[in-house]
Amino acid sequence: MRYAFHDQLDGVFTDLAAICRRVEEAVRLATEALLTGTADVAERVISGDVEIDQARERVEDTAFSLLSLQAPVAGDLRVVVAALRMVSELERMGDLSVHVAKIARLRTPNIAVPEQARPIIARMAEVAEDMVSRTAAIIAERDVDQAAELRRDDEEMDGLRRASFAELLGDDWTAGVEAAVDVALLGRYYERIADHAVSVAGRVVFVVTGETMAS
Amino acid sequence: MRYAFHDQLDGVFTDLAAICRRVEEAVRLATEALLTGTADVAERVISGDVEIDQARERVEDTAFSLLSLQAPVAGDLRVVVAALRMVSELERMGDLSVHVAKIARLRTPNIAVPEQARPIIARMAEVAEDMVSRTAAIIAERDVDQAAELRRDDEEMDGLRRASFAELLGDDWTAGVEAAVDVALLGRYYERIADHAVSVAGRVVFVVTGETMAS
């Protein structure tokens, strides 16, 4: 019984890592759509989100059947609940990629991000995508050390967010109100993707060590 | 054993309703700080958020002890997991109120929202606060009919969000980039508070009927 439980639990984490890789792809494509103004790439992200939602449902069903049929004890129970929370956050990261893609789509064939904000937004996107990529590896390999490193990347993201505000509120901003609003919201979306990545990785730490990462 | 379980579960829902009322207060005060530019009211929201976090932890502890000690069967199990999700969302709604309060604090003694956007933002805030208030009642009374009504309010919120964009991107916008960015982010925060309220109310429907509200 216990062996079967842990096998199934491993299966759940394999699925979570796979969903995280889908999210990584969604972030990558949404950014591509955003920085090139390509409508059909944006559409792929938007229409592809349903697959992430379905994958979430499958993980939830497995987790519930694990809880029901195996009635895990305290520690294992918390691991299953952690998995349920991770999959909710991964789904949310997919939704945030859709928000990025929708801003891209709204402005095509133009590029939503004006030239003067492009380096910062491109870097935010890169950091976010990299964090999601590493989160997938952290889930797959239960890599506690990497999870701690992810925190540092999140600090870079916070710095980029501040820099983006300095840019769009500075005297040199000539791109107007609409572009400023787009950049502010995009910054918010990438920042939230990064926040969720840190949170998901933190749950892996909890799963492995039983301890909550200090926030 | 079953009686004890359901008594404890009722206690969890009483706690959830109480947390929701705290969130309602946070939304109300954050809006007051925002629309009057009052720093100490903003501070109260920001420093008071820790109490919502602590209340969340207590609900989680109770839910976990219910799961561990009572090993509930399928339906009850899903109710406990629903409660865990509700408390996460309520905490998030508290965080979003803090975001509103922080924008208020950043601009005091000035008012972050320029006059021409004040009617829309005031209405968004009113709708959000009302939705949170009714969500507290929905949780307390397991009121499935009210939960369906909440959906309609959320449509008003979506309409207000669109109207706010029309305002700040229109030719009549004279308040500048900074105010536009503030208004866009504030709109996002109120919209997310409303989204979470609908989601929490939807979980009450699930708890009562066993059915997921169509989205």
Side-chain angles (χ1 to χ4, degrees):
Chain A
M1 194 78 162
R2 288 293 101 190
Y3 283 113
F5 175 80
H6 285 110
D7 281 352
Q8 284 177 280
L9 199 56
D10 279 347
V12 167
F13 278 82
T14 304
D15 291 344
L16 288 173
I19 294 173
C20 196
R21 273 183 227 105
R22 273 176 189 272
V23 171
E24 178 191 345
E25 174 84 352
V27 174
R28 192 178 64 71
L29 289 175
T31 302
E32 184 189 323
L34 183 71
L35 296 178
T36 62
T38 315
D40 65 332
V41 177
E43 289 299 344
R44 270 172 66 195
V45 177
I46 295 162
S47 63
D49 190 53
V50 67
E51 288 168 34
I52 294 177
D53 296 349
Q54 287 165 347
R56 171 189 60 82
E57 281 172 30
R58 286 194 298 274
V59 166
E60 286 185 353
D61 288 346
T62 309
F64 274 113
S65 87
L66 267 176
L67 287 173
S68 292
L69 300 175
Q70 311 263 6
V73 289
D76 289 343
L77 179 67
R78 282 178 181 266
V79 170
V80 179
V81 173
L84 282 168
R85 287 177 165 164
M86 288 164 74
V87 80
S88 294
E89 293 200 85
L90 290 168
E91 184 195 19
R92 185 77 206 126
M93 291 157 78
D95 292 342
L96 289 160
S97 308
V98 168
H99 287 320
V100 171
K102 282 186 173 171
I103 289 185
R105 184 175 65 176
L106 201 62
R107 307 293 174 219
T108 56
N110 296 318
I111 298 175
V113 184
E115 263 186 52
Q116 65 188 114
R118 239 168 268 172
I120 287 182
I121 290 291
R123 181 64 194 148
M124 288 183 103
E126 197 172 43
V127 172
E129 189 190 324
D130 181 56
M131 287 174 74
V132 176
S133 168
R134 284 159 55 207
T135 300
I138 288 165
I139 300 170
E141 295 153 26
R142 317 278 199 286
D143 188 338
V144 173
D145 298 333
Q146 276 285 323
E149 269 189 39
L150 214 60
R151 281 279 167 105
R152 285 195 285 278
D153 287 6
D154 199 40
E155 284 168 24
E156 181 182 354
M157 181 62 94
D158 292 343
L160 286 165
R161 187 92 203 285
R162 284 191 296 274
S164 73
F165 278 117
E167 184 80 41
L168 62 89
L169 300 178
D171 292 337
D172 298 338
W173 186 261
T174 55
V177 170
E178 183 172 272
V181 167
D182 282 347
V183 168
L185 290 174
L186 288 165
R188 173 81 188 152
Y189 300 146
Y190 284 118
E191 182 193 38
R192 289 297 298 154
I193 290 170
D195 286 345
H196 282 297
V198 170
S199 173
V200 168
R203 295 194 199 283
V204 173
V205 174
F206 170 76
V207 164
V208 173
T209 68
E211 284 178 23
T212 309
M213 258 167 102
S215 63
Chain B
M1 193 79 161
R2 289 293 100 187
Y3 282 113
F5 175 79
H6 285 110
D7 280 351
Q8 283 177 282
L9 200 57
D10 278 348
V12 167
F13 278 82
T14 304
D15 291 343
L16 288 173
I19 294 173
C20 197
R21 273 184 227 106
R22 272 176 190 272
V23 171
E24 179 192 344
E25 174 84 352
V27 174
R28 191 179 64 71
L29 290 175
T31 303
E32 183 189 323
L34 183 72
L35 295 178
T36 62
T38 315
D40 64 332
V41 177
E43 289 299 344
R44 270 172 67 195
V45 177
I46 295 162
S47 63
D49 190 52
V50 67
E51 288 169 34
I52 294 177
D53 296 349
Q54 287 165 348
R56 171 189 58 82
E57 282 172 29
R58 285 194 298 273
V59 166
E60 285 185 354
D61 288 345
T62 310
F64 274 112
S65 88
L66 267 176
L67 287 172
S68 293
L69 301 174
Q70 311 263 4
V73 289
D76 288 344
L77 179 68
R78 283 179 181 265
V79 169
V80 178
V81 173
L84 282 168
R85 287 176 163 166
M86 288 163 75
V87 80
S88 294
E89 294 200 86
L90 291 168
E91 184 195 19
R92 185 77 207 126
M93 291 156 79
D95 292 343
L96 288 159
S97 308
V98 168
H99 287 320
V100 170
K102 282 186 174 172
I103 288 185
R105 185 175 65 176
L106 201 61
R107 307 294 173 218
T108 56
N110 295 318
I111 298 175
V113 184
E115 262 187 53
Q116 65 188 114
R118 238 168 269 173
I120 287 182
I121 289 290
R123 181 63 193 150
M124 288 184 104
E126 196 172 42
V127 172
E129 188 190 325
D130 182 55
M131 288 174 75
V132 177
S133 168
R134 283 159 55 208
T135 300
I138 288 165
I139 299 170
E141 296 153 25
R142 316 278 201 284
D143 188 336
V144 173
D145 298 332
Q146 276 286 323
E149 270 189 40
L150 214 59
R151 281 279 167 107
R152 285 195 284 279
D153 287 6
D154 199 39
E155 285 169 24
E156 180 181 354
M157 181 63 92
D158 293 343
L160 287 165
R161 188 92 203 285
R162 283 191 296 275
S164 73
F165 279 117
E167 184 81 40
L168 62 89
L169 300 178
D171 293 336
D172 298 339
W173 187 260
T174 54
V177 170
E178 183 172 274
V181 167
D182 282 347
V183 168
L185 290 174
L186 288 165
R188 173 82 188 151
Y189 300 145
Y190 284 118
E191 184 193 37
R192 289 297 300 155
I193 290 170
D195 287 344
H196 283 296
V198 171
S199 172
V200 168
R203 296 194 198 281
V204 174
V205 174
F206 170 77
V207 164
V208 174
T209 68
E211 285 177 23
T212 309
M213 257 168 103
S215 64

